[in-house]
Amino acid sequence: MAATALDLRREPPGGPVRPRRWEEGPPPGPSHEDALERLERAHARMGEATYAFLSEVGRAEAKVATREEGCRNLAHLLCCRFGLPFARAHRVVEAARALPRLPLLSGELRRGRLSLDKFLELARFATREREAELLGWALRVPVGEIRFRADAEARPRISREREGHAARRLDWWWSSDPERPGARRFRLSCELPPAEGSVVARAISRAAQAVPALPGEEGREGAAARRADALVALARARLRSDPDPERATVVVHANWNALTRGRRGAYLEGGPPIHPETARRIACSARIEVLFEDGEGRVLARAPARRRTPAWMLRQLLHRDRGCVFPGCGTRSHLQAHHLTPVSLGGPTDPEHEGLLCAFHHVLVHELGWGLRREGGRFVWTRPDGMPYLPGPSPGPP
């Protein structure tokens, strides 16, 4: 007779093992006090490591060239490289700046008495004079209460004073740039009553929080540039929704060689010349019409409407890409459909030959020399020197 599985079981020396009953308690092991003490020590080590990480973030802000890593600022780098949500990465950078001015709170973070989440919120409004008072309070309350207080103290106040409406005006004009001979600039001048001005300022400020900064324009020094980008983004959104597409279209006139061979000869209708690569980039956008002309201004071809990414395809790209396709970016606002092969070179308009990019990374590809292609359903990035861009933290030592 063949042996069964039960026949093959061996009994240990001394007879069969008696099943442990629930009443007998857990198996022998560390006591409650020992386990809790080890947990406390581990938490203290985590506090030390957290303090060290924030210290390195503070040092990196002045040393790391984030644009060389394809990122618009240090918070963006933390987001792309280490997987932090962007809002949290921004708070981490702010907290790293606060370490030197908050020695008491920083010390408690280092010892593990104060959690990182509490320190991130305290760093938003704490001062050296209030540290001792805030520390005692913060140790007693949950992090949500600290966040509520930080939001309340940081909330801006909008002036309610109103001036006469007779002075309101908005003008724009093209002018030469005295510091760059031959260059032209679009200039805008606006004057509004305080209440209306607050509305405009709030709209632009809110939009600027979602508009990525270009290389070299990070931090407070680039705030004005980001506001300018936000104004352009708001205007572009308005043009996209305009019910009269013909009158809401920006026209680019380009010599045939400008977009096909990268030579000069592209300019805005009613405006100055632009670089051929800039013309290629804006040709990816909606409500842009590109007219290809010969040397005498005769129209040879026109970028047809079908070459522009239709709304249904944009929705499909957003479903597929989830956001900007730069590794770790994932921005979902102010996205643009980028043609992997330029339209001027015959690039098709279909999901397989397009990818969503935020405004920052769209400029990175066109004007700043980064490469982007699609292989086997994956987007592959290369740096301006041709080397592949490898996302994520650098490999550690063997």
Side-chain angles (χ1 to χ4, degrees):
M1 180 181 296
T4 65
L6 291 176
D7 297 326
L8 296 177
R9 288 186 303 180
R10 296 184 178 180
E11 295 182 356
V17 177
R18 180 172 59 87
R20 179 178 296 277
R21 295 190 306 173
W22 180 261
E23 292 81 0
E24 297 178 10
S31 67
H32 165 77
E33 289 77 12
D34 292 338
L36 189 59
E37 183 180 351
R38 286 203 303 273
L39 192 61
E40 293 278 0
R41 290 199 298 267
H43 186 263
R45 291 195 298 271
M46 185 170 67
E48 181 72 31
T50 300
Y51 178 86
F53 178 70
L54 289 181
S55 299
E56 293 301 330
V57 170
R59 297 186 187 97
E61 191 168 24
K63 299 291 185 180
V64 174
T66 55
R67 60 181 175 179
E68 294 184 7
E69 299 302 320
C71 299
R72 56 183 182 265
N73 53 36
L74 185 57
H76 194 200
L77 186 142
L78 297 179
C79 174
C80 295
R81 198 173 184 90
F82 303 119
L84 275 68
F86 183 74
R88 185 174 180 83
H90 181 71
R91 293 280 175 84
V92 166
V93 173
E94 288 184 336
R97 296 172 184 154
L99 283 181
R101 65 177 174 84
L102 300 175
L104 178 60
L105 294 176
S106 300
E108 296 304 303
L109 170 70
R110 187 172 190 174
R111 285 186 284 273
R113 291 193 66 212
L114 195 64
S115 71
L116 173 61
D117 290 288
K118 289 187 174 183
F119 184 82
L120 293 181
E121 300 302 333
L122 287 167
R124 297 170 58 193
F125 65 96
T127 61
R128 187 187 293 263
E129 294 74 21
R130 303 169 61 191
E131 274 192 292
E133 169 198 348
L134 290 174
L135 174 61
W137 168 74
L139 292 175
R140 297 191 306 270
V141 301
V143 66
E145 189 167 340
I146 304 176
R147 183 179 299 114
F148 178 83
R149 182 167 176 179
D151 291 340
E153 296 206 16
R155 183 175 297 119
R157 296 180 180 178
I158 300 177
S159 174
R160 296 180 180 272
E161 297 179 4
R162 299 178 60 92
E163 295 180 351
H165 285 261
R168 72 188 187 281
R169 60 184 298 144
L170 189 147
D171 301 296
W172 64 82
W173 65 96
W174 300 96
S175 67
S176 300
D177 189 338
E179 298 181 0
R180 298 175 179 84
R184 300 271 287 176
R185 292 290 182 266
F186 176 82
R187 300 188 183 275
L188 186 73
S189 174
C190 180
E191 184 174 344
L192 292 172
E196 284 75 8
S198 296
V199 173
V200 174
R202 177 60 59 88
I204 294 177
S205 298
R206 291 289 298 166
Q209 294 177 13
V211 173
L214 294 176
E217 298 176 352
E218 303 86 357
R220 296 181 179 179
E221 295 77 9
R226 289 195 295 276
R227 290 194 293 269
D229 292 342
L231 180 60
V232 174
L234 292 172
R236 184 179 287 120
R238 174 63 183 85
L239 288 181
R240 282 198 297 266
S241 62
D242 196 295
D244 187 350
E246 293 302 321
R247 300 179 66 182
T249 298
V250 177
V251 179
V252 176
H253 297 264
N255 185 282
W256 184 262
N257 289 328
L259 298 189
T260 58
R261 300 182 182 180
R263 299 177 182 175
R264 64 183 181 181
Y267 61 94
L268 297 169
E269 185 170 87
I274 58 177
H275 192 277
E277 198 59 50
T278 301
R280 287 178 178 174
R281 171 171 58 83
I282 63 177
C284 293
S285 305
R287 294 291 164 92
I288 298 290
E289 180 177 81
V290 181
L291 299 178
F292 299 92
E293 303 169 348
D294 61 13
E296 299 180 0
R298 289 188 293 263
V299 176
L300 302 178
R302 172 178 173 269
R306 60 183 175 84
R307 289 300 185 97
R308 304 179 194 133
T309 307
W312 71 265
M313 193 177 296
L314 286 173
R315 291 192 294 269
Q316 180 64 23
L317 290 173
L318 185 59
H319 174 73
R320 183 195 70 188
D321 298 340
R322 306 296 183 187
C324 177
V325 300
F326 186 85
C329 181
T331 299
R332 293 177 61 88
S333 58
H334 305 295
L335 295 173
Q336 300 167 10
H338 169 68
H339 289 74
L340 300 179
T341 301
V343 173
S344 58
L345 300 180
T349 299
D350 61 63
E352 289 302 313
H353 294 85
E354 293 187 54
L356 291 180
L357 295 177
C358 64
F360 171 82
H361 285 117
H362 205 189
V363 172
L364 211 69
V365 170
H366 281 281
E367 280 96 335
L368 300 183
W370 283 66
L372 174 62
R373 65 183 187 275
R374 186 170 167 84
E375 294 181 354
R378 295 176 58 252
F379 289 98
V380 179
W381 287 79
T382 53
R383 297 175 182 271
D385 59 5
M387 296 298 293
Y389 175 78
L390 303 177
S394 302

